[in-house]
Amino acid sequence: MQRTILEHRRRVQKALKESPSLKSHFDQVFDESYQTARRLAVIETGLAIAIFPEKSLFTPEQTLDPDFLPES
């Protein structure tokens, strides 16, 4: 799973580097994207949506930080 996280972070960072104006869009859609991710997690895991926090526990900056992983 860590490989997948790192790969997606790399893709987003590349897109932001190629189009810096996307950064403000990323910040605007962060919460909406998290809600989509919650729904995908429900489908992927079969767990109830209530298991996943309603709001992201991490900041947009943390989600893009290649060295950041939450503590287990």
Side-chain angles (χ1 to χ4, degrees):
M1 182 183 322
Q2 289 182 14
R3 182 187 178 289
T4 301
I5 292 169
L6 186 59
E7 174 60 20
H8 286 282
R9 284 178 175 165
R10 186 193 66 77
R11 290 179 189 186
V12 172
Q13 288 286 24
K14 182 180 178 189
L16 292 174
K17 186 175 182 179
E18 291 173 355
S19 298
S21 62
L22 288 176
K23 177 65 171 111
S24 64
H25 180 69
F26 174 80
D27 292 338
Q28 290 173 347
V29 300
F30 182 77
D31 291 331
E32 181 182 333
S33 297
Y34 177 74
Q35 295 308 314
T36 300
R38 282 179 79 215
R39 290 189 296 277
L40 290 171
V42 167
I43 293 167
E44 185 76 20
T45 65
L47 298 172
I49 198 161
I51 295 292
F52 303 97
E54 288 186 30
K55 295 265 184 191
S56 175
L57 301 177
F58 313 109
T59 66
E61 292 74 24
Q62 287 173 315
T63 63
L64 294 177
D65 182 345
D67 297 320
F68 175 78
L69 283 174
E71 294 182 22
S72 300

